[in-house]
Amino acid sequence: MVGKENLRTEDLNLCFEKLMMLVDGGDGIDVGAKGVKMDGGVIAGWKDIPMELLLQIISLVDDRTVIVASGVCCGWRDAICFGLTHLSLSWCKKNMNNLVLSLAPKFAKLQTLILRQDKPQLADDAVETIASYCHDLQVLDLRKSSKLSDLSLYALAHGCPDLVKLNISGCTAFSDTALAYLASYCRKLKVLNLCSCVKAASDTALQAIGQYCNSLQSVNLGWCENVSDVGVMSLAYGCRDLRTLDLCGCVLITDDSVIAMANMCPHLRSLGLYYCQNITDRAMYSLAHSCIKHKPTKWGTTGKGKNDDDGLRTLNISQCTALTPPAVQAVCDSFPALHTCSGRHSLIMSGCLNLMSVHCACAVQAHRAPSAFPYPAH
């Protein structure tokens, strides 16, 4: 049914009924047996729905229904193409590439497009079509699109310069040259997911990202095993507004990467160092010291303690077996939002049996609470 200009009358009626079920009975709208009565008349069939009401209804239905509705008639198609800004096709398990090829020219006003796949379906021609028509795109999710080549990144660089959030995790065919090229054009990027992009996420690409994408706030470099201190330090010095950095499985990085983040990124809230076994106490003490360095100071302050919302809120040091309890405890003591207590784990230390003695303040208080009543009541 999708992509056809002429639908059967039964399909149109069914689509109309489904849409009308979502219309509320208030604000001058009365849903009755003979149709929908509005202030301007009665909607007895799908052709009678005014554009304003159609756009309101479309915002409530699922994406499959939106696509079907766009094929009802020219009026509906034009209304939907003009008003639709968010679309997800992740429900499409087959022929997603053909679906994108047919829809992208119609939905040119899209700002968010989710194309996550369990199995790779997309090819370069689909992404090139998106880049050719959807110039307002700000959020694009291409997770697990392993069939895509550098041609897709080059097309996005030229066609979608306003990208703010890009997820290409699992896109293993991209090169670092293409990623660096994208960074030089898409300078508004704030969120970038490169998890498992082993070829693309190199120090060379990260140097370009640090140079051009200064508004970056979140980067996922999980399992990008070619990333070293050179690349991470480039991010730290170029992207001072970083809030979230995931370096899990980046086995080449050392303390220098963490120290650069601690010194240069005062807004860092989440840091993932899972399986970064070259990290030592030196990195932990630099994080703890950054709490003091980045603490806001004003004339006439009363010396109140650091707000729980400031500084690190999540730290994953699982499998960082070189760390010792005093260094990790120093970090935990410096950032009140880090917790080891049950139900609030935000300081994650699995696989580090030598760190069992590290506890947050509330965990210590909970442990000591029973001692407040040393004698049984009589």
Side-chain angles (χ1 to χ4, degrees):
M1 193 186 310
V2 175
K4 294 183 179 180
E5 290 295 330
N6 297 316
L7 303 179
R8 296 178 303 170
T9 302
E10 307 91 84
D11 295 328
L12 300 179
N13 292 335
L14 181 62
C15 189
F16 170 75
E17 292 174 5
K18 186 172 183 179
L19 293 176
M20 287 302 97
M21 290 175 63
L22 294 165
V23 179
D24 189 13
D27 298 328
I29 302 176
D30 179 26
V31 181
K34 295 182 179 180
V36 180
K37 181 183 292 186
M38 299 182 65
D39 293 338
V42 176
I43 301 175
W46 55 271
K47 292 181 180 179
D48 302 323
I49 301 178
M51 183 181 296
E52 294 79 6
L53 177 58
L54 176 63
L55 291 177
Q56 292 184 31
I57 298 173
I58 288 299
S59 68
L60 302 175
V61 300
D62 60 86
D63 290 320
R64 298 192 201 197
T65 303
V66 170
I67 295 172
V68 174
S70 69
V72 167
C73 63
C74 293
W76 280 32
R77 181 195 63 201
D78 294 343
I80 293 172
C81 292
F82 179 78
L84 189 68
T85 58
H86 296 71
L87 180 65
S88 173
L89 300 180
S90 297
W91 49 266
C92 184
K93 304 304 180 183
K94 294 181 180 180
N95 300 320
M96 181 187 287
N97 201 73
N98 291 335
L99 186 58
V100 172
L101 288 172
S102 66
L103 293 179
K106 294 196 299 182
F107 298 156
K109 297 297 182 180
L110 283 177
Q111 296 178 12
T112 298
L113 181 58
I114 309 299
L115 300 174
R116 291 190 174 197
Q117 304 145 77
D118 295 326
K119 296 181 179 179
Q121 301 182 56
L122 289 182
D124 289 323
D125 57 348
V127 179
E128 289 173 330
T129 302
I130 293 169
S132 296
Y133 291 95
C134 304
H135 301 303
D136 296 334
L137 205 60
Q138 297 179 22
V139 178
L140 179 61
D141 191 334
L142 298 172
R143 186 171 68 98
K144 290 189 177 180
S145 300
S146 56
K147 290 183 178 181
L148 299 181
S149 74
D150 287 350
L151 292 175
S152 291
L153 292 188
Y154 289 131
L156 290 173
H158 290 288
C160 305
D162 292 331
L163 279 176
V164 174
K165 184 176 181 179
L166 178 64
N167 185 344
I168 54 173
S169 60
C171 298
T172 52
F174 291 150
S175 72
D176 58 350
T177 302
L179 181 58
Y181 188 85
L182 176 85
S184 67
Y185 282 86
C186 299
R187 302 189 179 194
K188 298 179 182 179
L189 279 172
K190 290 187 177 182
V191 180
L192 183 59
N193 191 335
L194 301 173
C195 183
S196 299
C197 295
V198 180
K199 292 171 58 179
S202 69
D203 289 338
T204 300
L206 294 182
Q207 286 175 314
I209 292 170
Q211 178 181 353
Y212 297 115
C213 304
N214 305 129
S215 299
L216 209 58
Q217 295 183 358
S218 176
V219 184
N220 188 335
L221 296 172
W223 308 108
C224 296
E225 57 189 28
N226 294 326
V227 171
S228 75
D229 291 332
V230 173
V232 177
M233 292 173 69
S234 297
L235 289 179
Y237 283 91
C239 309
R240 302 288 299 275
D241 200 28
L242 268 179
R243 315 292 177 89
T244 301
L245 179 63
D246 193 341
L247 297 170
C248 72
C250 295
V251 294
L252 298 180
I253 69 163
T254 70
D255 294 337
D256 291 341
S257 289
V258 179
I259 292 171
M261 284 292 159
N263 290 335
M264 305 306 298
C265 301
H267 304 296
L268 191 65
R269 297 295 178 263
S270 178
L271 180 61
L273 298 172
Y274 173 78
Y275 210 73
C276 298
Q277 297 188 329
N278 292 321
I279 300 299
T280 72
D281 288 352
R282 182 165 161 255
M284 294 299 101
Y285 284 120
S286 72
L287 287 174
H289 180 72
S290 71
C291 171
I292 301 173
K293 179 178 179 180
H294 298 311
K295 183 177 180 180
T297 57
K298 295 181 181 179
W299 293 105
T301 53
T302 58
K304 292 183 179 179
K306 190 176 178 69
N307 191 309
D308 283 4
D309 291 332
D310 293 336
L312 281 175
R313 301 172 189 171
T314 304
L315 177 63
N316 189 340
I317 51 174
S318 299
Q319 302 297 331
C320 295
T321 52
L323 300 178
T324 66
V328 178
Q329 188 67 61
V331 177
C332 193
D333 293 342
S334 296
F335 300 104
L338 289 178
H339 293 279
T340 62
C341 51
S342 178
R344 301 179 67 186
H345 291 290
S346 57
L347 176 57
I348 306 167
M349 304 177 291
S350 61
C352 299
L353 297 179
N354 58 319
L355 300 179
M356 294 295 291
S357 61
V358 175
H359 292 291
C360 60
C362 55
V364 173
Q365 292 172 0
H367 179 73
R368 292 175 177 174
S371 63
F373 304 97
Y375 303 106
H378 294 285

